[in-house]
Amino acid sequence: MSRTTVFRSRHAACLALLVSGAVVAAGCGRANAGRLGEAGDAAERVYVAPGKYDEFYAFLSGGFDGQVGVYGLPSGRLLKHVPVFSQSAENGWGYSEQTKAMMNTSYGFVPWDDAHHPQLSQTAGVPDGRWLFINGNNTPRIARLDLIRFETEEILELPNSAGNHSSPFLTENSEYVVAGGRFSVPAPQRDVSIDDYKNAFSGMLTFAKVDSATGHMAIAFQIRMPAFDYDLSHAGKGPSHGWSFFTSYNSEEGNTKLEVNASQKDKDYIAAINWKQAEQCVAQGKAKMEPARYAHNVIGEDGIARTDWGSSVKVLAPADCPGLVYFLPTPKSPHGVDVDPSGEFIVAGGKLAALIPVHSFSKMQKAIADKAFAGEDHGIPVLKYEATIAGEVQNPGLGPLHTEFDGKGNAYTSMFLSSEIVKWSLKDFKVLDRAPTYYSIGHLMIPGGATRHPYGRYVLAMNKITKDRYLPTGPELTQSAQLYDISGDRMKLLLDFPTIGEPHYAQALPASMIKDRQLKMYNLATNQDPYVAKNERLTRVERKGSVVHVLMTSVRSHFMPDKIEGIQVGDSVYFHVTNLEQDWDVPHGFAVLGANNAELLIMPGQTRTLVWVPSRVGVYPFYCTDFCSALHQEMQGYIRVSAKGSAVAVKWNSPSYHEAEEHEAVEAAEHETK
Ligand code: RUQ
Ligand code: CUA
């Protein structure tokens, strides 16, 4: 038996085990041990010496943890965990008064989401290092992170939408961030029978305009589609710029037991949307303004998040805009849809398909011109499969999901069921190489691999199951990423590293693009927070009824004031803490005994506010949580809480107190003389 036959038969046995749901056999993949290359060689390729930087920033979604993990590649070192949709007790995101509004939605305060697909802003089809967008699946939202501060700056809710999964995909100059929903729902929402699914439900696709100066998003229009499940998307590029492609499964329009009912047909569709056509139709007034309530949360210049409420959206129906949508038949319940760097090939990952279909954009254009239609579905023209297909990758493996490109004419597809990455050629659609993943790979990522000019070098596999790969940690095991070298003809596994949450997609850019542009601190002089105290003389405690504002400063190594009296049980005490430092990487923390929310982590020059409602009398310590200096442990204070209605006067120990006292004395004297 030749080496490849041995590999194939071992491989087939492994597949059988995996498909039958048997425990993943540790032996699977051993046939590929040689693929590791020399361990020393692999170690050298991912070794980033102490004090040296990684070559790429990689942004991995946190999945059900609602956040973004920033990792260095090739080392796999975790650099930052950026809170997005989920509250983060670590720094007060979503707890502090300045950031709470970021969680506002039309459903109320929603402090969690399921974040899947990070997308770097692009200019001319390549990352421009400005922003990162990511979707919230469960309560449909799109967030924008700023890459100078590595903080979330904006969250836009998407109305008429559910299961915001084919989201957020950017057009090649970030003209639009595009989103579709996995779940069709009645739009607008209303009380209807689920049996009315086919008539009453819609799959809504959203196009939000991105302001090229500020990055701010605004919903431009929505497209009302048949009630399929819109799973993933990618925009065209180069010749196909102006189009967006969405996979849809459940064209059967099942509304129960989808594992059976949505797997009836041989082919579902890729929906090809001509968004330039949509723009024209909207300009011609063909979209209908419909009421829709949604939140748009933005952090202002003053560092404070505010919500603007949207009240309507423009909705376009394909019937009113001929040429807007075409369906490309695609086997079988397709998941990923990816466009190659040239913009010509549209690759689908049919989870249940035995091949990878590759559509051609130019053939699609010709098929539209020739009216090569196989029929219509909900009035939308369905193109003939043979008329758009460029080729099929035969026997790629089982369970194709997602494809990325190396810019050298090759595609890499993740195979969930057979746990492998398959490399194939865009020239003849022949499989060139395959490498096992451990185990059940979902997405994969090549730096720049979804853009016009991939950086190549590595492919990162993001795996769902790790079983025997790491020290066991009780019922829940880590998900993991695996890094492969793709600079040669054959993939070489270099590194396993665990990830936070469940990474779905990731994107990466060269570190050199943004590393020297990082904000080092907030400018104290231009701090516009209404409760800032820019120096210690300006600190004070003010009572307004049962609300108490404490304007406090922190600097190595004390708070001012650090001795406060005259607080009463049931007061709402707002600690507005300004970090006076003007030095890189000197945050101070703030925590108070018994607080029902979280700590604050305040960056240099910034003001953050925590509300505290003491429920019983006593003397409460507060302290700095971030080890900021040799005297960090000394960075503490006390606040006295008296009974409701107590005669204990408000009193604090900063320079302003005496001035306030004098001021009161003068006022009292004036009052007496009247
Ligand atoms: S989806 S693999 Cu959002 Cu493929 Cu996760
Ligand atoms: Cu400030 Cu520790």
Side-chain angles (χ1 to χ4, degrees):
M1 267 203 277
S2 74
R3 195 170 153 247
T4 39
T5 351
V6 172
F7 166 62
R8 287 243 173 79
S9 53
R10 299 260 332 226
H11 195 70
C14 290
L15 286 192
L17 277 172
L18 284 164
V19 173
S20 70
V23 173
V24 175
C28 291
R30 285 245 174 96
N32 283 289
R35 302 301 304 279
L36 246 168
E38 297 306 317
D41 175 51
E44 204 171 290
R45 280 160 186 269
V46 299
Y47 182 66
V48 177
K52 291 280 184 282
Y53 292 150
D54 275 290
E55 190 183 342
F56 293 102
Y57 284 100
F59 302 90
L60 276 64
S61 65
F64 44 67
D65 91 346
Q67 319 289 48
V68 167
V70 184
Y71 297 79
L73 293 182
S75 73
R77 298 186 293 199
L78 175 63
L79 305 175
K80 188 162 181 148
H81 187 218
V82 185
V84 184
F85 297 110
S86 299
Q87 281 178 303
S88 174
E90 182 186 344
N91 59 13
W93 176 255
Y95 291 101
S96 71
E97 293 305 293
Q98 286 85 353
T99 58
K100 269 181 182 172
M102 292 304 275
M103 307 292 94
N104 285 343
T105 76
S106 64
Y107 304 90
F109 183 85
V110 179
W112 168 85
D113 217 311
D114 179 18
H116 279 219
H117 311 123
Q119 284 278 298
L120 291 161
S121 58
Q122 300 183 12
T123 302
V126 292
D128 56 21
R130 303 180 75 190
W131 307 300
L132 182 81
F133 296 83
I134 189 163
N135 60 322
N137 243 312
N138 185 55
T139 305
R141 287 172 283 178
I142 299 173
R144 183 176 54 82
L145 282 65
D146 160 271
L147 294 182
I148 304 301
R149 298 182 288 127
F150 282 69
E151 286 174 10
T152 305
E153 230 173 31
E154 181 179 7
I155 295 181
L156 174 68
E157 185 184 356
L158 306 178
N160 290 327
S161 176
N164 175 43
H165 191 258
S166 41
S167 169
F169 291 92
L170 285 158
T171 57
E172 87 175 10
N173 296 300
S174 306
E175 294 97 336
Y176 291 99
V177 58
V178 180
R182 244 181 80 201
F183 309 121
S184 286
V185 285
Q189 276 289 11
R190 54 198 184 277
D191 178 18
V192 293
S193 167
I194 298 163
D195 295 334
D196 255 359
Y197 185 90
K198 288 190 187 189
N199 298 319
F201 287 44
S202 313
M204 211 60 110
L205 308 180
T206 304
F207 285 71
K209 194 95 193 130
V210 178
D211 184 292
S212 61
T214 61
H216 288 180
M217 298 176 277
I219 297 176
F221 54 88
Q222 294 189 312
I223 301 174
R224 186 187 295 280
M225 296 285 288
F228 307 159
D229 295 36
Y230 298 89
D231 205 9
L232 277 152
S233 175
H234 263 100
K237 41 173 93 86
S240 52
H241 178 59
W243 291 76
S244 278
F245 304 95
F246 288 85
T247 45
S248 65
Y249 62 100
N250 192 23
S251 54
E252 296 87 347
E253 296 178 81
N255 53 68
T256 170
K257 299 200 182 94
L258 256 58
E259 64 176 320
V260 176
N261 291 333
S263 306
Q264 299 299 309
K265 290 196 195 166
D266 248 13
K267 295 191 173 67
D268 293 274
Y269 300 121
I270 286 173
I273 309 283
N274 183 341
W275 57 259
K276 294 224 162 144
Q277 180 70 19
E279 282 178 335
Q280 282 189 15
C281 291
V282 171
Q284 290 160 2
K286 291 181 177 163
K288 290 195 186 73
M289 197 63 112
E290 294 185 10
R293 183 171 154 80
Y294 61 95
H296 183 200
N297 312 322
V298 183
I299 305 235
E301 294 275 292
D302 53 6
I304 300 173
R306 289 181 188 79
T307 302
D308 274 338
W309 291 99
S311 57
S312 62
V313 281
K314 285 179 185 160
V315 178
L316 193 56
D320 298 330
C321 184
L324 172 65
V325 191
Y326 297 92
F327 284 142
L328 280 61
T330 302
K332 176 160 195 182
S333 299
H335 181 59
V337 54
D338 298 281
V339 180
D340 88 306
S342 75
E344 163 65 4
F345 296 120
I346 302 143
V347 181
K351 306 182 288 273
L352 306 177
L355 49 79
I356 301 172
V358 183
H359 293 283
S360 148
F361 180 73
S362 52
K363 286 184 81 174
M364 180 189 103
Q365 292 292 69
K366 182 159 185 306
I368 292 170
D370 296 350
K371 300 204 168 15
F373 300 141
E376 279 188 358
D377 197 332
H378 292 77
I380 293 167
V382 178
L383 295 165
K384 287 196 176 123
Y385 182 68
E386 312 75 51
T388 62
I389 204 80
E392 292 170 338
V393 182
Q394 299 296 334
N395 302 315
L398 293 179
L401 291 185
H402 299 283
T403 301
E404 292 256 301
F405 307 90
D406 65 1
K408 296 193 280 187
N410 304 307
Y412 294 73
T413 302
S414 56
M415 298 286 166
F416 176 78
L417 287 173
S418 52
S419 288
E420 58 187 334
I421 300 174
V422 170
K423 174 183 177 181
W424 50 275
S425 165
L426 287 164
K427 280 184 210 81
D428 55 11
F429 312 115
K430 292 256 166 22
V431 172
L432 299 171
D433 188 24
R434 49 178 79 237
T437 60
Y438 306 94
Y439 303 92
S440 303
I441 179 175
H443 267 278
L444 77 184
M445 182 275 284
I446 293 174
T451 72
R452 292 192 71 174
H453 301 288
Y455 306 104
R457 300 179 56 91
Y458 307 105
V459 63
L460 188 72
M462 285 159 275
N463 305 318
K464 307 298 185 191
I465 295 170
T466 51
K467 293 284 194 225
D468 51 11
R469 300 295 285 183
Y470 296 94
L471 286 174
T473 52
E476 198 200 2
L477 304 176
T478 185
Q479 278 83 25
S480 85
Q482 290 188 292
L483 189 74
Y484 296 77
D485 181 357
I486 56 166
S487 55
D489 286 342
R490 306 201 67 196
M491 290 173 265
K492 261 190 190 168
L493 177 57
L494 299 176
L495 179 72
D496 278 28
F497 62 93
T499 56
I500 294 188
E502 182 193 357
H504 286 262
Y505 191 39
Q507 289 205 326
L509 49 69
S512 57
M513 190 180 277
I514 59 173
K515 81 171 168 41
D516 299 325
R517 294 170 30 210
Q518 295 304 304
L519 183 77
K520 293 193 167 68
M521 71 209 71
Y522 291 92
N523 186 346
L524 181 64
T526 59
N527 181 324
Q528 294 171 42
D529 192 285
Y531 293 98
V532 64
K534 291 192 183 179
N535 61 55
E536 295 186 345
R537 295 199 59 82
L538 297 171
T539 60
R540 59 192 183 276
V541 181
E542 292 172 352
R543 170 180 287 286
K544 288 178 179 148
S546 60
V547 172
V548 178
H549 290 284
V550 179
L551 280 69
M552 185 183 275
T553 57
S554 61
V555 75
R556 280 163 289 181
S557 298
H558 60 271
F559 292 104
M560 184 69 86
D562 66 0
K563 222 164 100 184
I564 300 168
E565 300 202 3
I567 307 302
Q568 297 178 8
V569 168
D571 282 346
S572 293
V573 183
Y574 287 76
F575 293 101
H576 307 281
V577 187
T578 300
N579 181 345
L580 297 179
E581 307 280 353
Q582 289 288 270
D583 218 344
W584 196 12
D585 196 25
V586 194
H588 291 288
F590 177 85
V592 59
L593 170 64
N596 293 138
N597 31 29
E599 71 154 344
L600 295 171
L601 197 65
I602 311 124
M603 297 304 129
Q606 194 180 45
T607 305
R608 298 279 96 165
T609 301
L610 193 74
V611 182
W612 178 61
V613 184
S615 60
R616 50 188 202 245
V617 300
V619 178
Y620 291 75
F622 55 88
Y623 74 104
C624 170
T625 53
D626 187 317
F627 207 106
C628 51
S629 70
L631 297 174
H632 155 80
Q633 289 298 80
E634 281 71 11
M635 202 164 167
Q636 62 164 57
Y638 285 108
I639 185 160
R640 173 183 171 190
V641 176
S642 307
K644 186 125 205 105
S646 145
V648 176
V650 172
K651 180 174 159 190
W652 67 96
N653 69 334
S654 70
S656 59
Y657 177 65
H658 301 289
E659 288 161 22
E661 232 182 4
E662 276 160 28
H663 182 73
E664 264 168 37
V666 171
E667 274 200 340
E670 277 173 1
H671 195 78
E672 264 167 36
T673 53
K674 266 179 203 160

